[in-house]
């Protein structure tokens, strides 16, 4: 059995397919991805697999050691707690700067998240979740804040995979983000900061 991919380039299409599976949780953290098995599964040559895996290694979704198969990066709850320790002050700066403002790009990401069909892969939810928060950061207009936030993107994406079971009802996730955007747009700054802090106080599912 082979799983068809729609070529943009074979490398790009395979990287997209694997990325979606990783960010949907279909390929679990720590899973090895042998080139030969992927080549047979997707009906492509091993050099294509090697290049596609290299793309995901560069993105930080996979890690690879010499003479070993690539593996999906494992992010522990301890890692994620430390991630949030760094992320909270950055988002607090965002809340202070944007209080009383509506960010059209964030609203657009929320609209896309809302419109996702119930059977959409979790990777699509991850993409819109990331787009919404990134839009808020970009709207502040600080290149340094944007750059610092971007450094956390890989671990944030991998952490969001764990929320798939926490948000079995995706409407809850949509509602939480609608409330967040409403609170920021209403202001004042203290209320916006409080809403952002509360929004980031969530668990990460199973240990």
């Amino acid at each position: 059995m082979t799983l068809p991919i729609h070529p943009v380039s074979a490398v790009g299409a395979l990287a997209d397919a694997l990325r979606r599976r990783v960010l949907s949780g279909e390929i679990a953290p720590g899973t090895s991805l042998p080139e030969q098995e992927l080549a047979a599964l997707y009906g492509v040559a091993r050099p294509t697999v090697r290049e596609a895996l290299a793309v995901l290694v560069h993105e930080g979704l996979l890690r690879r050691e010499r003479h070993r198969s690539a593996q999906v990066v494992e992010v522990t709850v301890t890692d994620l707690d430390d991630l949030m320790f760094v992320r909270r002050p950055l988002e607090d700066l965002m809340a202070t700067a944007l209080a009383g403002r509506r960010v059209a790009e964030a609203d657009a990401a929320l609209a896309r998240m809302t419109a996702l069909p119930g059977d959409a892969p979790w990777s699509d939810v991850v993409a819109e979740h990331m787009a919404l928060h990134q839009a808020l950061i970009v709207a502040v207009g600080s290149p340094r804040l944007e750059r610092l936030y971007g450094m956390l993107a890989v671990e944030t994406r991998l952490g969001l995979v764990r929320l798939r079971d926490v948000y079995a009802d995706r409407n809850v996730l949509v509602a939480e983000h609608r409330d967040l955007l409403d609170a920021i747009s209403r202001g004042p700054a203290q209320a916006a900061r409080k809403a952002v802090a509360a929004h980031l106080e969530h668990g990460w599912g199973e240990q």
Side-chain angles (χ1 to χ4, degrees), residues 12 14 23 27 37 44 51 57 68 74 92 98 113 117 119 122 132 134 153 171 173 197 206:
L14 180 57
L23 294 178
I27 303 178
E37 291 181 16
V44 297
E51 289 185 50
V57 169
R68 298 187 64 179
E74 294 186 80
D92 184 68
L98 297 185
M113 187 191 299
D119 60 352
W122 183 250
L132 186 152
Q134 183 67 23
N171 291 327
L173 185 66
E206 294 291 329

Side-chain angles (χ1 to χ4, degrees), residues 59-79:
E59 291 179 5
L61 297 178
L62 305 180
R63 61 180 176 84
R64 189 166 206 168
E65 298 176 5
R66 190 173 177 83
H67 303 308
R68 298 187 64 179
S69 296
Q71 289 186 319
V72 179
V73 170
E74 294 186 80
V75 180
T76 68
V77 170
T78 300
D79 292 330

Side-chain angles (χ1 to χ4, degrees), residues 108-189:
L110 178 62
R112 293 192 300 269
M113 187 191 299
T114 304
L116 288 173
D119 60 352
W122 183 250
S123 58
D124 290 353
V125 179
V126 170
E128 300 307 341
H129 188 289
M130 292 291 295
L132 186 152
H133 283 274
Q134 183 67 23
L136 293 173
I137 293 294
V138 170
V140 173
S142 167
R144 289 166 181 79
L145 178 62
E146 188 176 344
R147 186 162 61 246
L148 288 170
Y149 197 81
M151 292 172 64
L152 308 178
V154 171
E155 285 186 311
T156 300
R157 286 201 293 176
L158 290 169
L160 292 175
V161 175
R162 302 179 67 111
L163 295 182
R164 180 180 58 172
D165 295 329
V166 175
Y167 290 100
D169 181 355
R170 297 182 186 182
N171 291 327
V172 174
L173 185 66
V174 169
E176 287 183 3
H177 283 84
R178 182 178 295 112
D179 290 345
L180 174 67
L181 297 184
D182 288 346
I184 292 172
S185 67
R186 280 195 307 268

Side-chain angles (χ1 to χ4, degrees), residues 3-14:
L3 299 178
I5 56 178
H6 303 289
V8 179
S9 71
V11 170
L14 180 57

